[in-house]
Every structure is written in structure tokens, then in C-alpha cells.
Amino acid sequence: MASGSAWPLRTVVKYWQAAGEKGAISFQYLMNTEVRNKLFQIKISIASIRGYFFNFKFIPSQLSMIQQRFTFKSVEKLKSVKLIGEIFKTGKSFSHFPFRIIYIYPAESKSYLQAAVSVSSKNFKKAVDRNRIKRLMREAYRLQKIPLQKNLEQYQKYLAVFIIYTGNELPTYEIVLDKMGGLLARLEKIVSNRHDQK
């Protein structure tokens, strides 16, 4: 399909209905499907959506998300052993169940915001379970990190975070998405307050 062309309405219907069946009437669920990255590049007219999905309640912020790209580039992934060690040695932390986050403000970095996720092997013996949770965490982080990232870019500051899943039960995607959103919102508030105090 050529870039910029309209996404077939029947395809949008298919994935929108799938979202409804999963009890997640939002674009967040669509983003977790095989078409999520293509959907961001497609301009779907609001008129067409209103005409076909008249029985759904759309939130303007959700509609605007279609035209954004939610990436998690390699330079945004926290991989430096030295920096990770510094995070656990001198970083500040807080909990937002089922997550615990440790963070520092490095003097310089390849990206304004870098992050890594982890799951305790003590609570989850099977690697398949740990990997699944980490995938959900990365996805939820990828979709909701932009406000924090823009905040850091505005003030030309760097932030490195390490997010740990501390729960002992396998979470659903909806729970991870919701809790990760709360975690990042709280972190953004902390970062903003730090800037205001200077």
C-alpha cells in the first residue's frame, strides 16, 4: 500500500471490533495488534469514523494518537552496565504497585530518556512468564512515554530509569497499561517539580 493512502475501512472495523470484544474500546488495544505501527502513518478522516462508528464515544486525544509514532528506539533503551550500576547505587526510587522505579539524572546520554525493565526471577521461575511481562511493560511504556520525553527535551535534561515488576501474579495487558501510565505520570510530576525548584 502506498504511503499516505487511506487504510481500508473494513480493516479498521475488524480491529475495532476486536478491541470491543476484548473490553478495551480504545486505540491502545489497536496499538497492540499487528497493524499498530502502520495505523499511525495512515490518516483516517474523522468524518468517516463518525459516520461508521456512531455508537462509540471517541476521545479527541485518542484520535490524535493515530498520527503519532510511538517508538522505542535502541538509543532509548538502557543498556550501559556502568549506568545501570550507578542507578542502583545512587538512584532515587518510588513504588507504584505493581511497579518499582529507580531513576537518576545522568550528566549526559545518547537520549533524553532511557529505560530498562525487569521482572523478579524470585516471583516468576519460568523465563517465558518473565519475558511476557517484560514485553507488556515495554509496550505500555512505549505508548505512554512521550509526555515525559517532551518534558525532558524542553529543559534539555537527561533521565535514566529502571522499572521493576514487583507483583507475583501474571498481569493482563490492560492492567500493565493502566499502572504504567500512572507510574510515568508520577515521574513526570517529579521531573517538573525538580525543574521548577531551580
Side-chain angles (χ1 to χ4, degrees), residues 6 12 24 27 32 35 48 59 63 65-66 73-74 83 91 100 111 117-118 124-125 139 144 153 166 190 192 195:
V12 179
F27 276 101
N32 201 34
V35 299
S48 296
I59 299 175
L63 293 175
M65 290 166 67
I66 301 177
K73 300 177 182 178
S74 179
L83 186 53
R100 178 170 175 258
S111 175
V117 300
S118 178
F124 297 93
K125 305 297 183 183
E139 183 72 355
Q144 301 178 91
E153 290 177 5
T166 59
I190 292 173
S192 296
H195 295 323

Short mmCIF file of all heavy atoms in Angstrom, two decimals, residues 6 12 24 27 32 35 48 59 63 65-66 73-74 83 91 100 111 117-118 124-125 139 144 153 166 190 192 195:
data_model
loop_
_atom_site.label_atom_id
_atom_site.label_comp_id
_atom_site.label_asym_id
_atom_site.label_seq_id
_atom_site.Cartn_x
_atom_site.Cartn_y
_atom_site.Cartn_z
N ALA A 6 -5.35 5.84 2.16
CA ALA A 6 -6.32 5.56 3.23
C ALA A 6 -6.33 4.08 3.57
O ALA A 6 -6.28 3.24 2.68
CB ALA A 6 -7.71 6.00 2.78
N VAL A 12 -10.09 -1.40 9.50
CA VAL A 12 -10.28 -0.64 10.74
C VAL A 12 -11.43 -1.24 11.54
O VAL A 12 -11.35 -1.40 12.75
CB VAL A 12 -10.58 0.84 10.42
CG1 VAL A 12 -10.81 1.62 11.72
CG2 VAL A 12 -9.43 1.45 9.64
N ALA A 24 -11.69 -3.45 25.51
CA ALA A 24 -10.75 -2.33 25.51
C ALA A 24 -11.08 -1.40 24.36
O ALA A 24 -10.41 -1.38 23.35
CB ALA A 24 -9.32 -2.84 25.39
N PHE A 27 -7.82 3.05 21.34
CA PHE A 27 -6.78 2.84 20.37
C PHE A 27 -5.56 2.16 21.00
O PHE A 27 -4.72 1.64 20.30
CB PHE A 27 -6.36 4.16 19.73
CG PHE A 27 -7.25 4.54 18.58
CD1 PHE A 27 -8.24 5.48 18.74
CD2 PHE A 27 -7.12 3.92 17.36
CE1 PHE A 27 -9.08 5.82 17.70
CE2 PHE A 27 -7.94 4.25 16.31
CZ PHE A 27 -8.94 5.20 16.48
N ASN A 32 -1.66 -2.59 20.07
CA ASN A 32 -1.04 -3.85 20.45
C ASN A 32 -1.32 -4.94 19.43
O ASN A 32 -1.16 -6.11 19.71
CB ASN A 32 -1.55 -4.28 21.83
CG ASN A 32 -0.60 -5.26 22.48
OD1 ASN A 32 0.60 -5.18 22.30
ND2 ASN A 32 -1.13 -6.20 23.23
N VAL A 35 -1.21 -4.30 13.27
CA VAL A 35 -1.30 -3.14 12.39
C VAL A 35 -0.96 -1.83 13.09
O VAL A 35 -1.09 -0.77 12.51
CB VAL A 35 -2.73 -3.00 11.79
CG1 VAL A 35 -3.07 -4.20 10.97
CG2 VAL A 35 -3.75 -2.75 12.89
N SER A 48 -15.28 10.01 8.42
CA SER A 48 -15.54 8.60 8.14
C SER A 48 -15.75 7.83 9.42
O SER A 48 -16.62 6.97 9.53
CB SER A 48 -14.38 8.00 7.35
OG SER A 48 -14.26 8.61 6.09
N ILE A 59 -12.54 9.89 22.22
CA ILE A 59 -11.90 10.95 22.96
C ILE A 59 -10.92 11.62 22.02
O ILE A 59 -10.13 10.94 21.37
CB ILE A 59 -11.14 10.38 24.18
CG1 ILE A 59 -12.15 9.67 25.11
CG2 ILE A 59 -10.40 11.49 24.94
CD1 ILE A 59 -11.50 8.97 26.27
N LEU A 63 -7.97 10.13 19.15
CA LEU A 63 -7.95 10.32 17.71
C LEU A 63 -6.61 10.90 17.27
O LEU A 63 -6.09 10.53 16.22
CB LEU A 63 -9.09 11.26 17.30
CG LEU A 63 -10.50 10.71 17.49
CD1 LEU A 63 -11.52 11.79 17.17
CD2 LEU A 63 -10.74 9.49 16.61
N MET A 65 -3.83 10.35 18.50
CA MET A 65 -2.77 9.36 18.63
C MET A 65 -2.52 8.63 17.33
O MET A 65 -1.44 8.05 17.12
CB MET A 65 -3.13 8.35 19.73
CG MET A 65 -3.08 8.93 21.13
SD MET A 65 -3.86 7.88 22.35
CE MET A 65 -2.77 6.49 22.34
N ILE A 66 -3.50 8.64 16.40
CA ILE A 66 -3.34 7.93 15.15
C ILE A 66 -2.17 8.48 14.35
O ILE A 66 -1.45 7.75 13.69
CB ILE A 66 -4.62 8.04 14.29
CG1 ILE A 66 -5.81 7.46 15.06
CG2 ILE A 66 -4.46 7.32 12.97
CD1 ILE A 66 -7.11 7.60 14.33
N LYS A 73 13.27 3.36 20.40
CA LYS A 73 14.49 3.14 19.64
C LYS A 73 15.60 2.55 20.51
O LYS A 73 15.57 2.61 21.74
CB LYS A 73 14.95 4.47 19.04
CG LYS A 73 13.94 5.10 18.10
CD LYS A 73 14.42 6.46 17.60
CE LYS A 73 13.39 7.10 16.70
NZ LYS A 73 13.81 8.45 16.23
N SER A 74 16.60 2.01 19.82
CA SER A 74 17.71 1.38 20.51
C SER A 74 18.43 2.34 21.46
O SER A 74 18.82 1.96 22.57
CB SER A 74 18.70 0.82 19.48
OG SER A 74 19.81 0.22 20.12
N LEU A 83 26.01 2.56 33.82
CA LEU A 83 24.91 3.45 34.19
C LEU A 83 23.87 2.72 35.04
O LEU A 83 23.34 3.28 36.00
CB LEU A 83 24.25 4.02 32.93
CG LEU A 83 23.15 5.08 33.13
CD1 LEU A 83 23.66 6.22 34.00
CD2 LEU A 83 22.67 5.61 31.79
N GLY A 91 20.67 6.02 42.74
CA GLY A 91 19.38 6.48 42.23
C GLY A 91 18.29 6.63 43.29
O GLY A 91 18.35 6.02 44.35
N ARG A 100 8.10 -0.82 40.67
CA ARG A 100 9.04 0.00 41.44
C ARG A 100 10.00 0.59 40.43
O ARG A 100 10.48 -0.11 39.54
CB ARG A 100 9.81 -0.85 42.45
CG ARG A 100 10.85 -0.04 43.26
CD ARG A 100 11.40 -0.86 44.41
NE ARG A 100 12.47 -0.15 45.11
CZ ARG A 100 13.76 -0.40 44.95
NH1 ARG A 100 14.15 -1.35 44.12
NH2 ARG A 100 14.67 0.28 45.63
N SER A 111 20.29 9.71 24.72
CA SER A 111 18.88 10.08 24.58
C SER A 111 18.43 10.80 25.84
O SER A 111 18.94 10.55 26.93
CB SER A 111 18.03 8.82 24.34
OG SER A 111 16.66 9.14 24.30
N VAL A 117 13.56 -2.47 31.69
CA VAL A 117 12.54 -3.12 32.51
C VAL A 117 13.07 -4.46 33.01
O VAL A 117 13.94 -5.07 32.39
CB VAL A 117 11.22 -3.34 31.73
CG1 VAL A 117 10.66 -2.01 31.26
CG2 VAL A 117 11.42 -4.28 30.54
N SER A 118 12.52 -4.91 34.13
CA SER A 118 12.97 -6.17 34.71
C SER A 118 11.83 -6.82 35.50
O SER A 118 10.92 -6.14 35.98
CB SER A 118 14.17 -5.93 35.64
OG SER A 118 14.61 -7.12 36.25
N PHE A 124 8.79 -15.22 39.58
CA PHE A 124 8.43 -15.94 38.36
C PHE A 124 9.60 -16.82 37.94
O PHE A 124 10.59 -16.35 37.40
CB PHE A 124 8.07 -14.95 37.24
CG PHE A 124 6.86 -14.11 37.54
CD1 PHE A 124 7.01 -12.86 38.13
CD2 PHE A 124 5.58 -14.58 37.27
CE1 PHE A 124 5.90 -12.10 38.43
CE2 PHE A 124 4.47 -13.81 37.57
CZ PHE A 124 4.63 -12.57 38.15
N LYS A 125 9.47 -18.10 38.22
CA LYS A 125 10.54 -19.05 37.94
C LYS A 125 10.73 -19.30 36.45
O LYS A 125 11.84 -19.55 36.00
CB LYS A 125 10.25 -20.38 38.65
CG LYS A 125 10.02 -20.25 40.15
CD LYS A 125 11.25 -19.72 40.87
CE LYS A 125 11.03 -19.66 42.38
NZ LYS A 125 12.20 -19.09 43.09
N GLU A 139 5.80 -2.42 25.96
CA GLU A 139 4.73 -1.91 25.10
C GLU A 139 3.98 -0.77 25.78
O GLU A 139 3.72 0.28 25.18
CB GLU A 139 3.76 -3.04 24.76
CG GLU A 139 2.64 -2.66 23.82
CD GLU A 139 3.10 -2.43 22.39
OE1 GLU A 139 4.31 -2.48 22.13
OE2 GLU A 139 2.23 -2.19 21.55
N GLN A 144 3.27 5.39 26.21
CA GLN A 144 2.91 6.46 27.14
C GLN A 144 4.09 7.31 27.62
O GLN A 144 3.92 8.15 28.50
CB GLN A 144 2.22 5.84 28.37
CG GLN A 144 0.96 5.06 28.00
CD GLN A 144 0.29 4.42 29.20
OE1 GLN A 144 -0.59 5.02 29.83
NE2 GLN A 144 0.69 3.21 29.53
N GLU A 153 13.09 17.04 27.03
CA GLU A 153 13.63 17.74 25.86
C GLU A 153 13.50 19.25 26.04
O GLU A 153 14.39 20.01 25.67
CB GLU A 153 12.91 17.29 24.59
CG GLU A 153 13.23 15.87 24.19
CD GLU A 153 12.45 15.44 22.96
OE1 GLU A 153 11.73 16.29 22.39
OE2 GLU A 153 12.54 14.26 22.58
N THR A 166 7.11 -5.84 40.48
CA THR A 166 7.22 -6.45 41.81
C THR A 166 6.03 -7.33 42.17
O THR A 166 6.02 -7.92 43.25
CB THR A 166 7.37 -5.36 42.88
OG1 THR A 166 6.23 -4.48 42.83
CG2 THR A 166 8.63 -4.54 42.66
N ILE A 190 7.43 14.55 39.17
CA ILE A 190 8.68 14.69 39.93
C ILE A 190 9.70 15.48 39.13
O ILE A 190 10.37 16.38 39.65
CB ILE A 190 9.24 13.30 40.29
CG1 ILE A 190 8.33 12.60 41.31
CG2 ILE A 190 10.66 13.41 40.84
CD1 ILE A 190 8.71 11.16 41.59
N SER A 192 9.11 17.62 36.67
CA SER A 192 8.65 19.00 36.53
C SER A 192 8.93 19.80 37.80
O SER A 192 9.35 20.96 37.72
CB SER A 192 7.16 19.03 36.21
OG SER A 192 6.90 18.42 34.96
N HIS A 195 12.50 20.83 38.01
CA HIS A 195 12.82 21.97 37.17
C HIS A 195 12.33 23.27 37.79
O HIS A 195 13.01 24.30 37.75
CB HIS A 195 12.16 21.80 35.78
CG HIS A 195 12.71 20.64 35.01
ND1 HIS A 195 14.02 20.28 35.04
CD2 HIS A 195 12.10 19.76 34.16
CE1 HIS A 195 14.22 19.23 34.26
NE2 HIS A 195 13.08 18.90 33.72
#
